Amino acid sequence: MSLWNEQRRKLLNILLGTSVGATLVAILYPILKFMIPPEVIEATQTSVVAGRVNELPPNSGKIFKFGNKPGLLVHTPTGEYKAFSAVCTHLDCIVQYRPDLRLIWCACHNGQYNLSGKNIAGPPPRPLEEYAVNIRGEEIVVSRM
Amino acid sequence: MRGERRERRRIPRSRLWGGFALVSLVLGGLGATVARAQQAKDSCIECHAALEGPLADPVALMREDIHRARGFSCADCHGGDPRSDDPLAAMDPKKGFVARPPHRAIPALCGRCHSNAEFMKRYNPALRVDQEQEYFTSVHGKRLRAGDTRVATCTSCHGAHGIRSVQHPLSPVYPLNVAETCARCHADAEYMREYRLPHDQYDRYRRSAHARALYDRQDLSAPTCNDCHGNHGAVPPGITSVAHVCGQCHVRQATLFRASPHKAAFDAMGLAECVYCHGNHDVLSPTDEMIGTGEKSVCVSCHPPGDAGYQAAERMRALLDDLSRELERARAILDRAERAGMEVSRAKFELSEARDALTHARVLIHAFSVKEVENVIRPGLEVARRGYHAGERALAELNYRRKGLAVSLLFILFLAALLYLKLREIEGPR
Amino acid sequence: MRVETWRSWLDERLGTEAVREFLRRKEVPIHRHTIWYYFGGMTLFLFVVQVVTGALLLLYYRPSAEAAFESVQFIMTEVEFGWLIRSIHSWSANLMIATLFLHMFSAYFMKAYRPPRELTWVSGTLLLFLALAFGFSGYLLPWNKLAFFATKVGTDIAGDVPVIGPFLLRFLRGGEEVTGATLTRFFGFHVAILPGVMTIVLTLHLILVQRHGMSIPPSLEGTRVRTMPFFPNFLLRDLIGWVLAIGALAALAALFPWGLGEKADPFAPAPAGIKPEWYFLFLFQTLRLLPARVGIFEGEVVGVTLFLLGGLFWMLVPFLDKPTSRGWRGRFFTGLGVFIVLYIAVMTIWGYLA
């Protein structure tokens, strides 16, 4: 009887030790995983490198990714850099720069914005949100105003 | 504080006008009129203000009048001699006094100043001076010339006394008031009977997408009567020019249409381009049902089953429906995942590209080319499907978490049970 | 043998033998109210969970108006097990407040604040206020719409405190309005100032509990009460509770993940039905029920003043409850406790339904 009890005690201790260990592992595993930085670069951006200086000739534009929204970088005919949200204020289509019109243009309903982002023709009800542009060395850095 | 600020703004303005009057005076010409009106005695106002009823009304109304604000007074339109206190002398027809300018003479009366470019430049250089000329190209003007005095002239729309700037919200020709102003005559069945004109345009317009934009969203750029018909030169746009009128705002659709095979066909059949499918006064927001071969389709009124156009319509409708359906499906699954507490805002944002494609494709319908529509729909479908998969993944992840939870709970309960056994063992039976 | 050498080596340097000796002698009374003794340990455990998960969240959280919401979103979507850590942090916070309330009221009704445990009670009430401050400051950190407006309303109420109200409002907000500056301050409160103060008060509370041992309710005083050793018997029971708490937290996090809502927009209109966290709801509901004016005072000012006095009263209960401290049965304070519990329950439910 006491031998049986002794066996039972041993088994219980072994089981207890294992499950305490397992539980600790189960707690530590997510914690360690959490601490490893994820592959994706953080989405929270207040500024982004939208392009390089010699990439855009004057009178042209390009779409860049700003956080999870598209942005539009424009190199104006007068040589300035301007950046806007590329989401049309009418029905959320993506706008583009039209070198022939020297305007920002939305293909969906021919909405037009001037190079200050102001809605000047077509259905857009509001100007495009403008971002600040800074040039750091070769990089064109766009940030929220 | 606020009153103070308003006051500050007001003072320079009146000073500005004073200075303006002074400059006009120095420059000569018609400056004398202004100077007289501002400084000299005005017996018209003095007497009429003291009168009662309709004879005093013009004085009260004129307080709001833009002309009064610029220094004009009664005699500038009615003639006579405001310097005289004697009513007979002041209202002497020999001095040009006209109590009630005849309806027919009104365009010329207003045109005396408003058609004079030299004169108008002093007050508002941006104002056009061709209203009178335009007016006589309108149906109103032509009929007036032919002797019909029931038609509208300047005062019918702008008012006679108390004319406000067209930018003033109380002006009868302010964008929000134009339709009501036109409707005063054009919605009056009795009044329109003689001309055999319909009188339901106003009611139909009020149901239209344009009216919704104008009145509900207060979007002053939305068209009201004069934006399509012209204001001073109001005429119904002809069949050939209607596309140009609509194309003023709907440029893209108009351009696509003009380049499409429909242009020649509509011309040949004498159909009014946009209006044939969309209607005129009661233009509604277009739906996908307008295309295709269904009950509400506008295509089938010309295209018999089986012909190429019929098939193209069917195909384009199918494309739009595909994308709408995929989009809806993706949205639904993402909503479900979101309600379950998953974070899918990025997938939802990316879905906007598909909505973008659908919006764009709906415009491209006006090219009436299956290929063009397909080029936009295809990538849209791709995005929508990606969104759907993201939703599926989110739900799968949720499922995975629940399974993981179930397993870990099992272990935790097991551990708790073992701890309990251990406790029993320690405390044991005494 | 080697264990023994280690033990004596450590004992020489750390004095562990004293601790062991203390643990050997520490006992917990067994009676029909023993169950309530577990809630203090449970609150402590949940606090430890808060410290661990909170420290982990700090690895990714960014305390600025531009980035706070996005960084929490990033934790929830991109970081592995980020959803778990954040949800556990939120759930554990709420459970901790709940167990804290249970612990407090059980101590109150068992009259555990009787001499010589007055200071244990006072330090306990301080811990309650600190926990509420933790909850209030942490709620804003995700910078979502609901939190933004709840903070606006909450700090507005703080502005009604007599005399120092306007100063307090500016002090909390870091300016006249709730802005990014408020967020940064609240972050500072939440992760540095409050934890620092908490460490001191909590240590004091725990030392006092060890010093005086478990209190026995007055109804059992004088009778022979059985006891069990704290170690391992009571601790094992505690451990079972904690293991189950981990399970409960994991289940809540997986089945009811803590949402994030919409990013705060200071210029957006306030959404309908702003409610504070449930543990502030009874205060909020009381203020809502007060008339605009009470006599010559503003209703809100009167309400806030009453709450402040109430808090002070609650803290000083051991010194005010004279009959109990003299060993009689203090029926008045028991009745008052019942009233307070009912009041909080009714107001909270009312606040939820309203």
Side-chain angles (χ1 to χ4, degrees), chain C residues 7 51-52 92 94 102 119 147 163 195 198 207 209 285 301 338:
Chain C
R7 201 173 275 168
V51 173
V52 173
S92 174
N94 284 277
L102 287 173
L119 290 181
V163 189
M198 187 87 166
I207 288 175
V209 169
Q285 181 64 19
V301 174
V338 171

Side-chain angles (χ1 to χ4, degrees), chain B residues 167-279:
Chain B
Q167 270 112 35
H168 194 293
L170 287 179
S171 162
V173 291
Y174 185 69
L176 287 172
N177 307 330
V178 165
E180 279 69 27
T181 300
C182 298
R184 282 213 307 263
C185 298
H186 281 277
D188 184 340
E190 202 55 47
Y191 207 82
M192 286 295 122
R193 181 167 300 151
E194 187 187 315
Y195 303 100
R196 300 218 192 88
L197 280 178
H199 51 84
D200 60 348
Q201 303 98 318
Y202 175 72
D203 288 334
R204 283 164 60 205
Y205 169 73
R206 284 304 301 240
R207 286 197 298 271
S208 74
H210 292 144
R212 260 209 328 273
L214 182 62
Y215 297 103
D216 297 353
R217 290 209 309 267
Q218 297 275 307
D219 180 352
L220 295 187
S221 67
T224 178
C225 311
N226 65 315
D227 291 292
C228 298
H229 292 279
N231 28 21
H232 301 107
V235 283
I239 280 171
T240 44
S241 57
V242 78
H244 295 289
V245 171
C246 303
Q248 286 296 324
C249 297
H250 302 275
V251 188
R252 181 124 168 98
Q253 289 88 332
T255 318
L256 289 167
F257 182 88
R258 260 174 242 139
S260 80
H262 272 152
K263 170 71 178 156
F266 273 50
D267 284 353
M269 288 194 287
L271 300 177
E273 305 183 342
C274 313
V275 172
Y276 185 73
C277 297
H278 291 280

Side-chain angles (χ1 to χ4, degrees), chain B residues 74 96 103 126 186 237 245 268 271 292 313 332 350 355-356 415-416:
Chain B
C74 317
H103 204 63
H186 281 277
V245 171
L271 300 177
E350 274 159 15
R355 209 179 52 222
D356 180 324
L415 176 61

Side-chain angles (χ1 to χ4, degrees), chain C residues 101-326:
Chain C
F101 268 100
L102 287 173
H103 176 58
M104 177 180 80
F105 280 113
S106 66
Y108 180 87
F109 285 117
M110 292 199 284
K111 312 267 182 196
Y113 53 76
R114 298 187 322 278
R117 298 189 179 79
E118 296 99 322
L119 290 181
T120 319
W121 171 267
V122 172
S123 61
T125 48
L126 287 179
L127 287 174
L128 166 74
F129 300 145
L130 283 171
L132 293 178
F134 262 115
F136 185 66
S137 58
Y139 191 56
L140 178 68
L141 298 187
W143 198 243
N144 60 24
K145 214 167 161 180
L146 232 61
F148 178 82
F149 284 104
T151 303
K152 222 173 158 134
V153 174
T155 44
D156 257 336
I157 291 171
D160 284 330
V161 174
V163 189
I164 58 159
F167 166 77
L168 196 60
L169 182 109
R170 266 185 60 82
F171 176 78
L172 287 173
R173 290 185 176 175
E176 296 301 334
E177 288 296 324
V178 176
T179 58
T182 318
L183 178 67
T184 307
R185 286 178 92 73
F186 272 40
F187 176 72
F189 293 143
H190 192 78
V191 307
I193 296 173
L194 291 174
V197 180
M198 187 87 166
T199 309
I200 297 167
V201 183
L202 185 58
T203 310
L204 177 70
H205 190 72
L206 292 178
I207 288 175
L208 286 172
V209 169
Q210 300 318 316
R211 190 178 150 74
H212 299 300
M214 301 296 198
S215 153
I216 299 167
S219 56
L220 298 171
E221 244 175 3
T223 59
R224 263 192 67 83
V225 177
R226 283 193 302 132
T227 59
M228 64 172 139
F230 175 78
F231 185 86
N233 302 38
F234 188 78
L235 194 62
L236 264 178
R237 286 182 167 85
D238 257 346
L239 207 57
I240 295 176
W242 298 345
V243 166
L244 290 177
I246 291 183
L249 285 176
L252 286 170
L255 297 178
F256 308 102
W258 209 268
L260 183 53
E262 273 174 70
K263 184 172 176 165
D265 177 1
F267 303 110
I274 310 167
K275 277 178 192 154
E277 294 261 73
W278 61 270
Y279 40 85
F280 289 120
L281 209 51
F282 74 98
L283 299 173
F284 186 67
Q285 181 64 19
T286 308
L287 289 180
R288 215 162 34 176
L289 292 178
L290 281 175
R293 301 204 74 82
V294 178
I296 54 161
F297 301 106
E298 252 180 76
E300 294 234 318
V301 174
V302 172
V304 171
T305 313
L306 284 179
F307 283 136
L308 286 177
L309 292 177
L312 191 67
F313 172 82
W314 195 240
M315 199 161 90
L316 298 179
V317 156
F319 308 106
L320 299 172
D321 189 2
K322 289 280 184 236
T324 304
S325 64
R326 285 178 196 143

Side-chain angles (χ1 to χ4, degrees), chain A residues 49-55 81 134-141:
Chain A
V49 176
R52 307 190 72 78
V53 169
N54 43 19
E55 173 188 353
Y81 282 101
N134 289 296
I135 297 181
R136 271 185 227 147
E138 287 285 283
E139 289 176 339
I140 304 170
V141 181

Side-chain angles (χ1 to χ4, degrees), chain B residues 83-365:
Chain B
R83 278 163 304 179
S84 168
D85 276 328
D86 174 10
L88 286 177
M91 296 191 282
D92 186 354
K94 280 189 210 120
K95 287 181 181 159
F97 177 74
V98 186
R100 186 189 284 270
H103 204 63
R104 287 189 62 177
I106 285 182
L109 177 62
C110 299
R112 227 175 62 209
C113 297
H114 278 274
S115 300
N116 184 338
E118 279 293 320
F119 182 79
M120 289 308 291
K121 222 182 273 180
R122 297 191 195 143
Y123 294 91
N124 184 353
L127 203 66
R128 296 171 56 164
V129 289
D130 58 353
Q131 297 97 331
E132 186 189 359
Q133 199 188 341
E134 270 217 353
Y135 173 72
F136 285 111
T137 68
S138 75
V139 176
H140 294 144
K142 284 180 184 157
R143 292 199 70 94
L144 186 77
R145 208 162 245 172
D148 183 352
T149 53
R150 296 175 74 228
V151 294
T153 68
C154 316
T155 51
S156 317
C157 299
H158 291 276
H161 304 107
I163 298 175
R164 294 171 203 259
S165 154
V166 294
Q167 270 112 35
H168 194 293
L170 287 179
S171 162
V173 291
Y174 185 69
L176 287 172
N177 307 330
V178 165
E180 279 69 27
T181 300
C182 298
R184 282 213 307 263
C185 298
H186 281 277
D188 184 340
E190 202 55 47
Y191 207 82
M192 286 295 122
R193 181 167 300 151
E194 187 187 315
Y195 303 100
R196 300 218 192 88
L197 280 178
H199 51 84
D200 60 348
Q201 303 98 318
Y202 175 72
D203 288 334
R204 283 164 60 205
Y205 169 73
R206 284 304 301 240
R207 286 197 298 271
S208 74
H210 292 144
R212 260 209 328 273
L214 182 62
Y215 297 103
D216 297 353
R217 290 209 309 267
Q218 297 275 307
D219 180 352
L220 295 187
S221 67
T224 178
C225 311
N226 65 315
D227 291 292
C228 298
H229 292 279
N231 28 21
H232 301 107
V235 283
I239 280 171
T240 44
S241 57
V242 78
H244 295 289
V245 171
C246 303
Q248 286 296 324
C249 297
H250 302 275
V251 188
R252 181 124 168 98
Q253 289 88 332
T255 318
L256 289 167
F257 182 88
R258 260 174 242 139
S260 80
H262 272 152
K263 170 71 178 156
F266 273 50
D267 284 353
M269 288 194 287
L271 300 177
E273 305 183 342
C274 313
V275 172
Y276 185 73
C277 297
H278 291 280
N280 45 13
H281 295 108
D282 47 0
V283 183
L284 297 178
S285 292
T287 62
D288 289 347
E289 286 173 332
M290 285 176 67
I291 190 160
T293 55
E295 213 169 279
K296 292 187 184 159
S297 158
V298 291
C299 311
V300 290
S301 61
C302 296
H303 292 286
D307 89 338
Y310 187 89
Q311 282 167 6
E314 207 165 26
R315 183 82 195 99
M316 285 192 283
R317 170 67 185 279
L319 284 167
L320 288 181
D321 283 352
D322 275 354
L323 186 50
S324 307
R325 203 172 36 244
E326 286 291 325
L327 197 57
E328 206 33 62
R329 215 161 70 99
R331 210 175 275 155
I333 196 169
L334 286 173
D335 279 345
R336 233 175 80 206
E338 194 171 44
R339 274 196 302 277
M342 302 299 290
E343 180 53 49
V344 288
S345 55
R346 185 170 301 183
K348 276 197 149 175
F349 174 77
E350 274 159 15
L351 207 57
S352 67
E353 222 175 289
R355 209 179 52 222
D356 180 324
L358 187 60
T359 312
H360 197 175
R362 283 175 176 151
V363 175
L364 279 176
I365 291 294

